[in-house]
Amino acid sequence: SSCSGPFPTGVDTASFLVSGLMAGMAIDIDQKLFLRRLQHLVAAWDWPLDAILLVLGKVAEDEVGEYKVLAMHNWLLGYEFPETAILLCKTGRVVLLAGANKLKHLKQVESAEVTLVERRDVAGAAIDPEQLRELAAIARGGQEKAVLGMLRRVALVGPFAEALVNGMATQEGIEIVECREQISVLLAPKDSDEVPLVKKSAFFAQLSMEELFKKKLEEVVDGEIQISNRQVCDDVSTQLESEELLDRWQNSHGLQSSEQDVVFVSLQSGGKFELRPRVEANDSTVPMQGTYLLSVGVTYAEYASCISRTILVDPTPMQKTAYALAIEIHQQIVGALKPGVVLKELYCCAKETVAAKNPDLASKFVTSAGFGMGLEFNDMMLVCNDKCDRKVVAGTPFCISVGFSEPAGKTPWAVWIANTVLVPHDGGPCQVLTEGSSFAAKDVMYELGGDDEDTASVAAAPAPPPAAPKAAPAKGKAAAKPEAKAKAKAGAKPPGAPK
């Protein structure tokens, strides 16, 4: 079951929902899924909390800070309901506080354990003080005192959210504590409804890289086109929002066009490099040789994935060595990413391997080798660095991100590989969901050549198109020669998304 509604691609889901609610559009909440998720929440509740209060204010475009609240709305309800509060008690009781229009839709999940409360308007106040006291009483559950978990570091938007959060902190017998860690633990492992969506999201990212982004860069370099990094990204983003393309991918790969959305497209070239997702492309002109870092982040049915690739034209011996080691470390981390492993230990082992293999590269290694993903693009409580004590849990998707960068020196350079990886529930090896986009050295390193017959374009022999997940229904100037030419074999099986 999909955990998002039929929203147009490229439209902010929450703001679209607001207008949709006002217009009376059909909002179908999966009640059975909602109840399963509540049961899972109660079963997993071993935290020193009596209740959790999730407050979502007005959702502004590109708002930052409320991602865990948005994630919980999608996980429980399949939609985001702005200016709504959800009180979750460890006993299983739920209270939904919202306006009348939203309650018409939320009525689908009303039951003996799920209470709907309509917000009352009070002159001069953003929230009724009496309703605050009623919420506090429910959170206490008959006790004199209660520990209430809230997301205290969120950016509150609008007077309702601010008044509710600030007012709850003044209620008698209520101790407010941060609950980011608990929400992260709850949402990290994906259930049987979520895993197929994660795989489709990763396949969408892979298609975006293989069929659009790499080909666009090839076109620019082969044709010696003068264009900025930003414009390349804008062009790829426009293609990714094309109804024609999304409909084609729906027909050929079973990816519903209404569920596909682009989080970011990033190209770094010309000497400034940051090895992390969501780096905004700059206005520098794309050079005809050097280092190119390509990164794409997408969502499918609100589930996030990402992929990053490096293209090297005329790489130096150090860059070749660094890239080979990056592949080795990536394989080491993916191989060791098993349930029970502490993320801090995973990162430190990787860094020790780098120091042992090539001490000169140790200081150039990434400070984080990845993070957990899902309904939140980047779970900052689940990071593969030297500080995170969290253990890997089966069913968790990660972005495993490995690379080296040399920002100083005469010619700054970097190498970077990032893939969406799933830790399976069955105890088997991790699935690299975006491996259909090759990151083998022979496919990413090119040496400049002349215009003779033996010279190949940047693309060399085009890779076969990636295959869809099993669940799906069914030339410019030759300017570069691959360091190791890939031989295209007739009838070769195309790389595809893991099954």
Side-chain angles (χ1 to χ4, degrees), residues 351-396:
K351 192 161 186 179
E352 287 171 7
T353 300
V354 171
K357 295 265 184 179
N358 192 323
D360 292 339
L361 288 173
S363 63
K364 300 174 176 60
F365 188 56
V366 289
T367 56
S368 166
F371 48 84
M373 306 187 79
L375 288 167
E376 191 175 20
F377 182 84
N378 180 351
D379 183 355
M380 296 306 295
M381 305 302 294
L382 192 63
V383 181
C384 186
N385 61 17
D386 59 1
K387 298 180 178 64
C388 186
D389 291 319
R390 288 273 293 278
K391 293 181 179 180
V392 177
V393 177
T396 305

Side-chain angles (χ1 to χ4, degrees), residues 23-45:
M25 67 177 281
I27 301 292
D28 295 320
I29 300 174
D30 189 332
Q31 186 186 35
K32 291 182 179 179
L33 184 63
F34 173 77
L35 292 175
R36 282 204 305 275
R37 299 261 162 94
L38 277 185
Q39 290 167 359
H40 174 72
L41 169 64
V42 173
W45 199 304

Side-chain angles (χ1 to χ4, degrees), residues 43-330:
W45 199 304
D46 61 354
W47 316 305
L49 305 175
D50 296 294
I52 291 174
L53 180 62
L54 304 168
V55 181
L56 182 59
K58 293 180 179 178
V59 180
E61 187 176 355
D62 298 326
E63 114 285 340
V64 175
E66 292 193 78
Y67 295 134
K68 279 185 168 54
V69 179
L70 295 174
M72 284 297 290
H73 271 242
N74 275 298
W75 188 71
L76 286 168
L77 300 164
Y79 298 90
E80 297 153 9
F81 287 85
E83 296 200 287
T84 298
I86 303 176
L87 179 66
L88 303 167
C89 302
K90 70 176 180 181
T91 59
R93 184 174 181 187
V94 178
V95 177
L96 299 171
L97 175 65
N101 283 333
K102 298 183 182 71
L103 290 183
K104 291 176 184 176
H105 303 286
L106 292 170
K107 197 168 183 63
Q108 296 172 71
V109 298
E110 188 175 24
S111 68
E113 294 298 316
V114 181
T115 305
L116 306 186
V117 178
E118 183 178 346
R119 284 173 50 191
R120 291 194 292 263
D121 292 326
V122 177
I127 188 168
D128 182 357
E130 183 58 32
Q131 287 192 318
L132 270 177
R133 288 190 285 273
E134 290 169 2
L135 275 179
I138 294 170
R140 287 194 298 270
Q143 307 175 85
E144 287 188 13
K145 295 183 179 180
V147 179
L148 180 64
M150 295 180 69
L151 295 165
R152 305 172 74 183
R153 301 184 186 182
V154 303
L156 299 170
V157 182
F160 165 73
E162 292 179 9
L164 179 52
V165 169
N166 294 334
M168 191 57 69
T170 66
Q171 296 303 302
E172 185 178 352
I174 295 292
E175 178 189 354
I176 306 291
V177 298
E178 179 61 55
C179 67
R180 295 167 75 216
E181 184 80 18
Q182 288 82 2
I183 300 297
S184 172
V185 169
L186 176 69
L187 296 181
K190 306 302 181 273
D191 61 28
S192 58
D193 293 293
E194 297 174 287
V195 168
L197 301 176
V198 169
K199 291 184 176 182
K200 285 194 171 188
S201 177
F203 186 66
F204 175 31
Q206 177 183 298
L207 278 175
S208 303
M209 178 64 72
E210 277 301 293
E211 296 197 3
L212 297 182
F213 207 174
K214 282 185 177 180
K215 289 182 179 180
K216 179 65 180 179
L217 180 62
E218 170 201 345
E219 173 190 316
V220 168
V221 177
D222 275 5
E224 298 183 353
I225 299 171
Q226 296 298 299
I227 189 173
S228 70
N229 291 307
R230 190 187 307 278
Q231 188 58 56
V232 169
C233 295
D234 288 345
D235 290 352
V236 173
S237 296
T238 299
Q239 285 183 281
L240 283 170
E241 293 170 359
S242 157
E243 286 187 20
E244 181 184 354
L245 174 76
L246 297 179
D247 288 344
R248 187 168 78 243
W249 283 359
Q250 177 169 313
N251 293 332
S252 57
H253 301 299
L255 299 174
Q256 292 184 39
S257 58
S258 61
E259 301 288 20
Q260 302 172 51
D261 205 0
V262 181
V263 179
F264 68 86
V265 176
S266 173
L267 171 63
Q268 301 178 63
S269 68
K272 292 185 178 180
F273 305 106
E274 292 183 67
L275 306 190
R276 61 177 179 83
R278 296 182 119 154
V279 173
E280 184 177 355
N282 61 31
D283 292 314
S284 298
T285 300
V286 176
M288 296 301 107
Q289 66 186 96
T291 299
Y292 308 85
L293 303 184
L294 297 74
S295 186
V296 176
V298 301
T299 61
Y300 183 85
E302 305 302 331
Y303 286 85
S305 61
C306 69
I307 180 173
S308 298
R309 294 291 182 262
T310 300
I311 301 294
L312 296 168
V313 176
D314 266 355
T316 66
M318 174 61 84
Q319 291 169 336
K320 295 176 184 178
T321 299
Y323 191 81
L325 186 54
I327 290 179
E328 183 178 342
I329 297 301
H330 180 277

